[in-house]
Structure formats: C-alpha cells, structure tokens
Amino acid sequence: MTVSLDTPVRAGDGEGAARIKRALQRTSGFIGKMARNPLTAIGGGIIFLLLVVAIFAPLIAPYNPLVQDLNNALIAPNAQHWFGTDEFGRDIFSRLVYGSRITLYIVLLVSVTVGPLGLLLGVTAGYFGGKVDMVLMRVTDIFISFPSLVLALAFVAALGPGLEHVVIAITLTAWPPIARLARAETLSLRQADFISAVRLQGASPVRVLWRHIVPLCLPSVIIRITMNMAGIILTAAGLGFLGLGAQPPEPEWGAMISSGRTYMMECWWVVTIPGLAILINSLAFNFLGDGLRDILDPRSM
C-alpha cells in the first residue's frame, strides 16, 4: 500500500497519540509514587499476587480442592502437601488458592456496588440539602447505629445463606460511611465560586453534580472503598465462619476455619493458615488504602 506525500495528517490521530502518552505518563508517575512508600508497595504487591493466584488457580493448585481423601486426613505440612490437609484429606494449599477467588468475588462485587450507591446518595443529600438531606441522612444514621457485622448477620439470616446474599448484606451495611463522606465533600464544594459560575451559565443540577462535584469526590471515595476492603474480607470471613456464607464444600477461608476449629489444638495448620491468609490480605488492603490517601488526597500532602 502506497501513501501519497500529499495525504493530509488528521489532527485526531496526533491528539489521540498525545492523549495516550499523557495517560501513560500519569500511570507511571502514580505507580512511582506508590513504590516510594514501602508499606504501600508491599500492600500493592500482595494484592497483585492475590489477583494472579485467583486468575491462574487451576494452574497453581496441585490438587482438586473439593476431592476428599480420608486416608490422608490431617496430615501435617510436608513436601506433598505444603500447608497440610484438613479433616477430609483435602489439600489446604489448593483450597486457599481457590478460596482467593471467592474472597475477591465478594470484595470486588461489594466495592463496585457500594461505591456508586454511597456516592449517589451522599452528593444528592449534600447538594440539595433541606428535606432531601434530612431524610437521606436519617436513613444513613439508622444503618450506622448498628455494628456492621451484626447488621450483616441480620440481613443474611433473613435472606438465607449463600454468597450472593452475603454480597447483598455487606453492601447494605457498607454504604453509609461512603455516603457521609461524599455528603461532607459536597457541602464544601457546592458554595465554591466555580460551582456558582456553572449555575449562572444555566447548568442543571444533574449536570453540576455529574460533571463537577462527583469527579472531585471520587478520590476520597476510592480511598475509603480501598480501606473498607479489609473490613469486607473480615465480615465475609465472619459470616463464613458462622455458616452463613459460602456453603460446604466451597473453599471459603472463614468456612475453612470453622470446619477446622475442632482439631485446632492437635492440628494447628487447619485454622492457622487460613487465618493468616485473612490477616495478610486485610493488612495489604489497609496498606494500599493508606498509600492511595497520601497520593490522591491533596490535604494530606
């Protein structure tokens, strides 16, 4: 194919390339800032490893996590079973690997649900004020007044055991803090000079919220959601421990601790290793949230 020298260069091609270059520069700068904080780098590395393990679980796990072998029950960690086996002879390492999928499923689904919900209610209450603010915040106060785990237990007990019901229950308990944060951010923004100028130009309330207030609230909401992920993991594990989350024989970490607690005095690995997995990943999300706060929140600089 020949290209004539007289063929004009489209301006859109150059603008697109420049836009991609700027996006790559911002991404590399963002990763560089995170790498300068050791705890943030550790947290991000652990979460990246968790994602890799969940995606490639069939290739990483040496055994089927659901197949029982009573002849190999409660074997201590060794060369064949790195983390030992449980009371049914199932390889604990393989169950941890597949359990990472369940944990990430709950965390990601709750996060993508609770973020928009809390942000929408918070900016609406903060921008319109008056009766709208009063009604939405009183509903928020009702949800906040109960401990999140107790409220999640009540919702799961009403809906019945199951992963989907766990996601719904945790979502219903996790949105109020995000809504209050978004409301506080909106209250500080709605009287700003640039918002007044946009209103004078005839912009509708929906346009003001969507184009100007929501983007400015997003960094704080993202930070809060990231730090809430540790609580989501702990709540999901608590519900699984009580038998209200993933049902046997699914390899959910909280359910693994629950099933192995009978043997914990003689066979420490049955409950210790799943507990360490919950602890390490919860700390990783906290470390990552602290790093994102330092990078995205200008008031912390």
Side-chain angles (χ1 to χ4, degrees):
M1 178 179 178
T2 59
V3 180
S4 173
L5 295 177
D6 297 331
T7 301
V9 178
R10 289 178 294 180
D13 296 340
E15 293 176 0
R19 194 177 299 113
I20 293 174
K21 183 178 180 180
R22 288 194 298 268
L24 292 175
Q25 289 175 344
R26 287 195 296 266
T27 302
S28 61
F30 180 79
I31 295 175
K33 290 179 181 179
M34 291 184 62
R36 294 190 196 103
N37 187 326
L39 291 180
T40 304
I42 292 172
I46 292 173
I47 294 170
F48 178 75
L49 179 62
L50 180 67
L51 288 169
V52 172
V53 168
I55 293 171
F56 299 103
L59 301 177
I60 297 173
Y63 300 94
N64 188 315
L66 305 180
V67 173
Q68 300 181 11
D69 183 5
L70 297 179
N71 293 325
N72 290 322
L74 299 175
I75 292 178
N78 56 36
Q80 288 74 36
H81 302 281
W82 296 344
F83 293 164
T85 62
D86 64 7
E87 67 274 19
F88 296 108
R90 298 172 298 196
D91 182 64
I92 292 179
F93 174 74
S94 300
R95 289 178 64 79
L96 281 180
V97 169
Y98 276 89
S100 64
R101 289 185 164 186
I102 298 176
T103 299
L104 282 177
Y105 170 80
I106 296 174
V107 169
L108 295 179
L109 197 55
V110 170
S111 298
V112 300
T113 305
V114 78
L117 177 61
L119 182 61
L120 174 64
L121 295 177
V123 298
T124 301
Y127 183 79
F128 291 102
K131 292 183 179 180
V132 174
D133 183 31
M134 183 182 67
V135 171
L136 292 178
M137 286 302 102
R138 294 301 76 77
V139 173
T140 303
D141 291 340
I142 292 172
F143 278 86
I144 289 180
S145 62
F146 294 95
S148 59
L149 182 57
V150 174
L151 195 58
L153 280 171
F155 283 122
V156 174
L159 297 171
L163 277 180
E164 290 75 15
H165 294 166
V166 167
V167 170
I168 295 172
I170 298 177
T171 299
L172 292 174
T173 60
W175 68 265
I178 297 175
R180 295 193 70 89
L181 175 64
R183 173 182 178 270
E185 294 278 346
T186 305
L187 287 175
S188 63
L189 290 171
R190 69 177 183 178
Q191 301 301 331
D193 292 340
F194 72 95
I195 296 295
S196 300
V198 170
R199 287 202 201 99
L200 290 174
Q201 292 175 359
S204 65
V206 173
R207 181 179 176 84
V208 173
L209 288 174
W210 180 250
R211 295 293 300 273
H212 301 281
I213 292 182
V214 167
L216 293 173
C217 294
L218 273 179
S220 299
V221 171
I222 291 172
I223 294 167
R224 184 60 190 246
I225 290 174
T226 305
M227 301 191 74
N228 279 357
M229 288 179 179
I232 294 170
I233 292 175
L234 294 175
T235 302
L239 294 174
F241 180 85
L242 296 173
L244 298 174
Q247 298 301 295
E250 291 297 323
E252 197 273 325
W253 295 345
M256 290 172 63
I257 296 175
S258 177
S259 64
R261 70 184 188 278
T262 306
Y263 312 96
M264 64 182 296
M265 301 304 296
E266 300 84 9
C267 307
W268 56 268
W269 59 89
V270 180
V271 297
T272 301
I273 293 175
L276 286 175
I278 296 171
L279 172 64
I280 291 171
N281 285 283
S282 299
L283 285 176
F285 279 110
N286 278 329
F287 291 158
L288 182 62
D290 286 337
L292 289 177
R293 180 184 58 194
D294 295 339
I295 295 171
L296 297 178
D297 189 357
R299 291 170 296 184
S300 65
M301 296 181 179

